[in-house]
Every structure is written in C-alpha cells, then in structure tokens.
C-alpha cells in the first residue's frame, strides 16, 4: 500500500488531530494500567515470612467459624491484606498477633494459648508416660523371673518309698531275671 503525502493544510490538521488523540488515549491507558500501592500488594502473592502461620492461628472475626487462611469474606481479605503489609514493613509476627488480639479479643485465636486445655493435655501426656513405664517394668520383671533357673540351695528330698514300691521293684526283678 502506497500512501500519498498530504498536501492540504486541512489534511495535515486532521492527521495531527488523529495523532494527538491517539497519544492522549495511549497515555491515559498507561496511567490507568499503573497499579496503585494497594493493588501492588494484592498482585504480589508471595507471602511474607510468618504470614501463613499467623493466618492459620487466627479466626475470621465476621463469623468466628474459619481461620483467616481459608475464609473468603471481605473482612478476612482485609485482615490478610493488613497482615501482609505490616509484616512486609518489618513488624514482628508476635506484635502483630497481640495487636489483633487487643483489637478483636482473645476469641480471634483459633486455639487457646493456655489455660485449662493446656493443663489437661499435659496431665494426660504425663499419665500416659507413667503408664507405659509401669507396663515396661512389669514386663521386664516377668521376663526376668521366667528366665531364672530354680534356686540351687533348695535340697531335693529323696522320694519316700513304701511297701507298694518295694513290691513293684521285686516283681520287675523277677520278670527281668
């Protein structure tokens, strides 16, 4: 295709207008395509160190039913976004968790940190350990007693012979002899 050069001023103006509109349109699109800081945080899906573990320990405060790492409400998404931003700024995971607990209460924890449940679990583990040690000691003592020979200091008594034994011996001798 061969283009003819524009000779009229009217054609040049029209071409300049088309070029200007195209440049402005492309410039506007370029500006709208640049992500905002909040959008840049969402686009970067690489989790911050400790982010996944913290989200797994906290419940979504909208329903208190699921942890933040699996819940899909707007509140959960906002809290995940806040956790990511604060951790990327260098805030400590423990400090962030304590701040969220102060804001939403201890109920935000998926598992209680201490209290009766921890004491019950510890006592159950200790009870199981003591039971295993007792069973081990009992089995060991049974094994030792079965493996030991009869004591040698006990004298074996000679069999008591009576008249029936003598008579049986006499009959056996007569038969053999």
């Amino acid at each position: 295709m061969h283009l003819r050069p524009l000779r009229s001023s009217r054609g040049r103006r029209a071409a300049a207008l088309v070029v200007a509109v195209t440049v402005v349109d492309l410039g506007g699109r370029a500006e709208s395509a640049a992500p905002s800081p909040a959008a840049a945080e969402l686009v970067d899906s690489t989790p911050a160190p400790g982010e996944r573990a913290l989200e797994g320990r906290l419940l979504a405060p909208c329903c208190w039913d699921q942890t933040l790492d699996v819940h899909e409400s707007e509140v959960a998404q906002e809290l995940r976004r806040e956790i990511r931003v604060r951790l990327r700024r260098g805030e400590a995971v423990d400090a962030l968790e304590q701040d969220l607990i102060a804001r939403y209460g201890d109920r935000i924890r998926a598992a209680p940190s201490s209290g009766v449940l921890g004491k019950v679990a510890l006592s159950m583990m200790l009870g199981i350990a003591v039971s295993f040690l007792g069973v081990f000691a009992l089995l060991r003592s049974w094994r030792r007693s079965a493996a030991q020979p009869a004591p040698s200091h006990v004298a074996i008594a000679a069999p008591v012979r009576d008249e029936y034994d003598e008579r049986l011996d006499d009959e056996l001798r007569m038969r053999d002899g």
Side-chain angles (χ1 to χ4, degrees), residues 59-74:
L59 291 174
C62 56
C63 64
W64 307 107
D65 190 34
Q66 292 178 322
T67 55
L68 285 176
D69 58 346
V70 295
H71 199 64
E72 289 300 324
S73 69
E74 284 192 36

Side-chain angles (χ1 to χ4, degrees), residues 48-143:
E51 176 183 348
R52 297 280 186 209
L54 180 60
E55 290 172 357
R57 288 193 311 260
L58 299 176
L59 291 174
C62 56
C63 64
W64 307 107
D65 190 34
Q66 292 178 322
T67 55
L68 285 176
D69 58 346
V70 295
H71 199 64
E72 289 300 324
S73 69
E74 284 192 36
V75 174
Q77 289 174 357
E78 184 61 36
L79 275 176
R80 282 195 298 267
R81 191 176 306 119
E82 177 185 347
I83 289 170
R84 179 170 290 171
V85 168
R86 289 174 69 177
L87 288 176
R88 287 201 176 142
R89 286 184 194 152
E91 191 169 338
V93 175
D94 294 334
L96 178 57
E97 184 176 5
Q98 292 304 319
D99 180 54
L100 292 172
I101 290 170
R103 196 177 346 164
Y104 294 102
D106 200 42
R107 187 175 180 191
I108 198 168
R109 289 185 177 177
S113 63
S114 64
V116 176
L117 184 62
K119 292 175 184 174
V120 168
L122 180 62
S123 63
M124 286 180 64
M125 288 190 308
L126 287 175
I128 290 170
V130 167
S131 299
F132 276 123
L133 288 174
V135 168
F136 177 74
L138 183 64
L139 289 175
R140 192 170 177 192
S141 70
W142 285 348
R143 190 172 186 193

Side-chain angles (χ1 to χ4, degrees), residues 6-40:
L6 295 175
R7 294 184 188 215
S8 69
S9 66
R10 188 180 204 193
R12 287 184 198 148
R13 281 190 217 152
L17 182 64
V18 168
V19 169
V21 168
T22 305
V23 168
V24 169
D25 185 41
L26 289 177
R29 285 185 186 169
E31 284 181 21
S32 65
S36 66

